Amino acid sequence: QVQLVESGGGLVQAGGSLRLSCAASGRTFSNYFMGWFRQAPGKEREFVAAISWSGGGTYYADSVKGRFTISRDNAKNTVYLQMNSLKPEDTAVYYCAASRKSYRVTTKDVYDYWGQGTQVTVSS
């Protein structure tokens, strides 16, 4: 089992920045691909970013490429999502997730564990 706890969400104006954190406990953190997903009201949960076990590989949705950066610190069992130039359409609940797989990491069904989510609201 892996337990994931997100933090860092909040209310920010358009153009602002936030950094989300996801602290993991349980199994060996470095054995898992980590991902961030988001879900806006009335919409499907969608992929935002993912990072490989060592952090050498990163993947982004086109909608956030160039604005968001995913990173991880395996010594601290934590994955981060730095979000810059935020837009109102980035408003959603953001979830981190852990996967033992290294393929199809942009799809939510390959992830084994999920956090409870943290709300991000971007005002215009």
Side-chain angles (χ1 to χ4, degrees), residues 63-69 82-87 90:
S63 58
V64 306
K65 206 171 290 184
R67 300 188 298 123
F68 290 11
T69 302
Q82 178 66 45
M83 305 186 295
N84 298 329
S85 302
L86 282 161
K87 304 175 181 179
D90 294 317

Side-chain angles (χ1 to χ4, degrees), residues 8-79:
L11 173 64
V12 64
Q13 287 189 329
S17 298
L18 282 175
R19 187 172 88 151
L20 305 184
S21 300
C22 174
S25 60
R27 298 288 180 93
T28 306
F29 178 69
S30 58
N31 288 348
Y32 292 85
F33 253 74
M34 298 299 296
W36 285 97
F37 288 75
R38 66 187 182 187
Q39 188 166 18
K43 294 190 175 181
E44 293 282 322
R45 191 170 298 189
E46 65 175 6
F47 170 75
V48 175
I51 189 166
S52 63
W53 306 285
S54 65
T58 56
Y59 311 82
Y60 295 95
D62 288 342
S63 58
V64 306
K65 206 171 290 184
R67 300 188 298 123
F68 290 11
T69 302
I70 189 171
S71 61
R72 66 190 295 163
D73 186 337
N74 286 344
K76 295 182 178 179
N77 288 356
T78 303
V79 62

Side-chain angles (χ1 to χ4, degrees), residues 62-117:
D62 288 342
S63 58
V64 306
K65 206 171 290 184
R67 300 188 298 123
F68 290 11
T69 302
I70 189 171
S71 61
R72 66 190 295 163
D73 186 337
N74 286 344
K76 295 182 178 179
N77 288 356
T78 303
V79 62
Y80 305 97
L81 185 68
Q82 178 66 45
M83 305 186 295
N84 298 329
S85 302
L86 282 161
K87 304 175 181 179
E89 51 263 43
D90 294 317
T91 295
V93 177
Y94 283 70
Y95 299 89
C96 74
S99 174
R100 289 167 290 190
K101 304 175 183 65
S102 60
Y103 55 86
R104 294 177 58 233
V105 293
T106 63
T107 56
K108 55 183 182 293
D109 58 346
V110 306
Y111 288 84
D112 305 292
Y113 304 102
W114 292 84
Q116 83 291 346

